[in-house]
């Protein structure tokens, strides 16, 4: 569905991303793990068309789309749930959701809205509340629901767990799994390895702007993730576990 190969992105002289390769498939959750500053946000923004990559390939289906702008990527079915959620604080929940469905005809928006309310009951309950009054977790659900409103093929999610209470993190991750299971490809970037690994099918690890490991979630051992990301990535690490890219004993 989405295939990113050897992506390079820079800010002037700063080479923030210098060799990120990752893919996302329908119905699957692909987790990109990386420490603070590893280049996760830069990669997602470049894929979503908010920042032009210096080089590399971004394929959606059989089309090469690297460098296309965000509105064109949304039309192709690739939508970003940004870091920090970025909901419109003074608009109600429902108004925020309608912004997500802005491209569709009115009757269709109504239908999609009903579906999103069914998938996100919390948003249904809060539909007339200003988004700025929601809790962080509710705002994350809203940003997620707003993306689903565009009926995407691929959702890119930037650190949804950031700043949320642990129970809310679990709810958001469960919802990510649920939405992927409807057939959408989800590419989620996280520093919270435990939360991400709980729902991921595939994992990529990036360090200093480079993909250093990719594989199925089962073989992304906690110890390996710990070794790459450092102490903060996991709450507790078991003594056993294969090295990065290693095989099961
Ligand atoms: N607007 C910018 N201008 C210059 N450097 C930036 C900018 N945004 C991010 N960076 C740098 O790019 C690198 C990657 O940042 P980012 O993609 O935000 O990482 P992450 O999301 O993994 O924390 C960091 O070294 C960061 O300081
Ligand atoms: Mg970031």
């Amino acid at each position: 569905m989405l295939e990113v190969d050897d992506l390079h992105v820079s800010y002037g002289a700063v080479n923030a991303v210098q060799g990120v390769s990752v893919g996302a498939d329908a119905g699957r959750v692909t987790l990109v793990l990386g420490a603070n500053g590893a280049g996760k946000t830069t990669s997602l923004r470049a894929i979503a068309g908010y920042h032009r990559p210096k080089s590399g390939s971004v394929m959606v289906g059989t089309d090469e789309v690297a460098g296309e702008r965000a509105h064109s990527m949304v039309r192709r079915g690739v939508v970003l749930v940004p870091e920090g959620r970025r909901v419109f604080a003074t608009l109600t929940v429902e108004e925020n959701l309608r912004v997500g469905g802005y491209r569709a005809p009115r009757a269709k928006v109504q239908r999609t809205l009903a579906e999103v309310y069914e998938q996100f009951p919390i948003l249904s309950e809060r539909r007339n509340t200003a988004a700025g009054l929601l809790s962080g977790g509710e705002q994350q659900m809203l940003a997620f629901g707003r993306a689903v409103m565009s009926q995407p093929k691929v959702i890119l999610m930037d650190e949804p767990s950031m700043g949320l209470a642990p129970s809310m993190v679990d709810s958001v991750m469960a919802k990510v799994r649920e939405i992927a299971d409807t057939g959408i490809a989800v590419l989620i970037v996280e520093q919270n390895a435990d939360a991400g690994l709980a729902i991921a099918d595939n994992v990529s690890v990036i360090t200093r702007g480079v993909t250093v490991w990719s594989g199925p979630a089962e073989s992304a051992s906690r110890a390996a993730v710990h070794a790459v990301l450092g102490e903060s990535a996991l709450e507790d690490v078991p003594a056993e576990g294969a090295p990065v890219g290693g095989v099961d004993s």
Side-chain angles (χ1 to χ4, degrees):
M1 189 71 74
L2 175 77
E3 204 59 56
V4 176
D5 188 41
D6 201 21
L7 191 70
H8 286 61
V9 191
S10 53
Y11 302 100
V14 180
N15 296 317
V17 169
Q18 35 195 341
V20 163
S21 300
V22 69
D25 298 315
R28 313 281 281 174
V29 175
T30 302
L31 170 69
V32 176
L33 289 171
N36 195 25
K40 302 183 298 297
T41 296
T42 303
S43 297
L44 285 197
R45 286 180 54 81
I47 295 165
Y50 293 97
H51 196 86
R52 185 180 281 279
K54 198 163 78 176
S55 63
S57 164
V58 179
M59 301 286 291
V60 175
T62 55
D63 294 342
E64 174 59 63
V65 301
E68 282 190 15
R69 306 286 292 267
H71 58 88
S72 146
M73 292 303 288
V74 172
R75 217 176 298 127
R76 290 184 181 277
V78 180
V79 64
L80 174 68
V81 180
E83 187 172 77
R85 349 217 191 271
R86 306 227 159 254
V87 296
F88 299 104
T90 60
L91 300 186
T92 65
V93 165
E94 181 149 326
E95 287 164 345
N96 270 275
L97 291 175
R98 286 182 182 281
V99 170
Y102 73 97
R103 290 183 313 114
R106 184 186 288 252
K108 182 138 187 244
V109 170
Q110 211 51 40
R111 240 183 358 257
T112 313
L113 192 56
E115 280 167 28
V116 168
Y117 279 147
E118 218 166 281
Q119 289 169 318
F120 297 84
I122 186 104
L123 299 181
S124 180
E125 282 164 34
R126 307 283 257 148
R127 61 176 80 187
N128 297 316
T129 304
L133 298 177
L134 301 178
S135 72
E138 290 168 337
Q139 289 188 5
Q140 188 61 54
M141 292 293 195
L142 176 54
F144 193 3
R146 183 178 57 186
V148 175
M149 281 296 295
S150 71
Q151 302 200 296
K153 296 196 187 82
V154 181
I155 296 181
L156 310 170
M157 283 194 106
D158 197 346
E159 290 206 53
S161 81
M162 194 193 270
L164 302 186
S167 69
M168 219 9 167
V169 171
D170 292 346
S171 306
V172 168
M173 291 299 163
K175 196 55 73 178
V176 170
R177 184 68 255 177
E178 212 180 296
I179 294 297
D181 288 342
T182 69
I184 296 176
V186 180
L187 182 64
I188 176 174
V189 312
E190 268 296 343
Q191 289 185 60
N192 186 335
D194 275 332
L197 287 170
I199 58 153
D201 298 301
N202 298 299
V203 178
S204 284
V205 178
I206 66 177
T207 343
R208 283 179 234 96
V210 181
T211 302
V212 293
W213 188 84
S214 292
E218 311 85 83
S219 41
S221 86
R222 292 162 57 84
V225 169
H226 174 259
V228 173
L229 297 186
E231 207 65 52
S232 61
L234 296 171
E235 277 139 26
D236 63 309
V237 177
E240 75 278 14
V244 168
V247 291
D248 296 329
S249 53

